[in-house]
Amino acid sequence: MFKDKLKQLRIEQNLTQADVAKAINVSPATIGNYEQGTREPRNNEMWTKLADYFNVSIDELMDKTNNVRYSIKFKDNTSTDENDWTQQARTDIPIIYDEVNITPLVFAKYNEPTPITREQQYKYIEYSSRSGHVLYARRNLLEILDNINSSSIQQISNNLTNIINRTNNGVVYWYKKCWSDIDNLFPKAFDLETLYDLLDKCLCVDKIAAQEFSLVSLDINSDWLREKLH
């Protein structure tokens, strides 16, 4: 594994973690995290710096020569947002999915090759698909909440059926695409009070998703929603 290979190369050359850190312009703590396996280089530039410093190939540095491949992440040009709304992963922790570190892929720059293993690629594909369902649900949920917040109670009542349908089809549906065993989790909505119950449950599921996929938390206090719909 990379962490073991890095430590091996460093010890063989009688170097300290501080020596390596200074040479590639990172902190000693970063090298320590690399050797502990809690982090890996996040971009091709850092992999190249380390490989060049130890005079080895990137494949050899990753210590999975037969499994190493390169991945290129392409931006979705269909999005009209100024910022890519899908990039909501936390940047303060490694992104570990199903015990595999996929941080390099999650934060890879668009159109630049990123060295990864086959295992990382497979896990990233699964992570992207499932977290993509959640992010689409989150986007719709935020739009629904924003519309409710800016509408009068009479407007909400007049448009209740459409709001419920949009919540079920644009939010709940995509949560169920992510988790196949939550069919009975969401309450049925038919009036303002049960609409609150449904939306509150959606916010709870989003918190679970944020933990599972290492996403930035919405941190929404639903007290205002309860007061408006009750």
Side-chain angles (χ1 to χ4, degrees):
M1 298 178 65
F2 163 66
K3 66 184 184 71
D4 300 319
K5 187 65 176 181
L6 177 61
K7 186 174 183 179
Q8 175 192 341
L9 290 169
R10 179 178 62 78
I11 293 175
E12 286 177 350
Q13 298 186 30
N14 196 29
L15 298 167
T16 66
Q17 291 181 351
D19 292 331
V20 179
K22 183 177 180 180
I24 65 172
N25 196 29
V26 297
S27 69
T30 296
I31 302 301
N33 287 331
Y34 288 170
E35 292 190 359
Q36 291 172 15
T38 57
R39 287 181 59 185
E40 289 188 358
R42 290 187 174 182
N43 53 54
N44 195 45
E45 179 183 4
M46 189 56 64
W47 283 106
T48 302
K49 283 184 177 181
L50 277 170
D52 289 347
Y53 179 68
F54 288 107
N55 195 27
V56 297
S57 68
I58 293 178
D59 286 2
E60 186 177 352
L61 179 64
M62 296 185 76
D63 201 28
K64 285 191 174 183
T65 306
N66 293 331
N67 288 332
V68 171
R69 55 183 60 193
Y70 284 81
S71 175
I72 297 181
K73 185 162 65 173
F74 297 99
K75 188 173 180 62
D76 181 5
N77 293 323
T78 62
S79 175
T80 58
D81 289 352
E82 182 178 348
N83 298 317
D84 184 358
W85 63 274
T86 65
Q87 291 299 312
Q88 297 186 42
R90 291 177 59 180
T91 58
D92 58 326
I93 58 173
I95 309 301
I96 310 297
Y97 180 74
D98 200 15
E99 300 184 353
V100 176
N101 188 344
I102 59 171
T103 308
L105 270 170
V106 174
F107 295 109
K109 294 181 180 179
Y110 290 112
N111 302 322
E112 288 189 4
T114 304
I116 58 166
T117 64
R118 182 178 287 105
E119 185 179 30
Q120 284 176 309
Q121 184 177 41
Y122 291 158
K123 293 302 180 183
Y124 176 70
I125 291 173
E126 183 179 341
Y127 168 90
S128 297
S129 176
R130 295 185 63 223
S131 64
H133 296 331
V134 166
L135 289 174
Y136 190 73
R138 171 182 280 193
R139 190 184 202 188
N140 287 329
L141 176 60
L142 289 175
E143 290 179 356
I144 292 169
L145 292 175
D146 184 61
N147 287 336
I148 289 176
N149 189 40
S150 60
S151 300
S152 67
I153 192 66
Q154 186 61 52
Q155 290 173 321
I156 297 171
S157 297
N158 292 340
N159 199 35
L160 182 61
T161 300
N162 288 334
I163 296 174
I164 292 173
N165 287 339
R166 185 177 181 190
T167 303
N168 286 324
N169 297 328
V171 183
V172 174
Y173 171 82
W174 290 101
Y175 286 146
K176 290 180 179 180
K177 289 271 288 183
C178 182
W179 297 283
S180 59
D181 56 348
I182 60 172
D183 285 345
N184 298 322
L185 182 63
F186 298 94
K188 300 292 184 181
F190 49 85
D191 57 17
L192 293 179
E193 185 170 347
T194 51
L195 172 61
Y196 166 78
D197 294 336
L198 176 59
L199 292 172
D200 185 58
K201 182 62 69 175
C202 289
L203 286 170
C204 290
V205 172
D206 184 86
K207 291 180 180 179
I208 296 172
Q211 292 181 341
E212 180 169 346
F213 299 107
S214 301
L215 303 176
V216 174
S217 175
L218 291 181
D219 196 25
I220 293 179
N221 187 326
S222 61
D223 288 349
W224 68 269
L225 182 64
R226 182 188 296 108
E227 292 176 3
K228 189 149 196 174
L229 299 182
H230 277 192

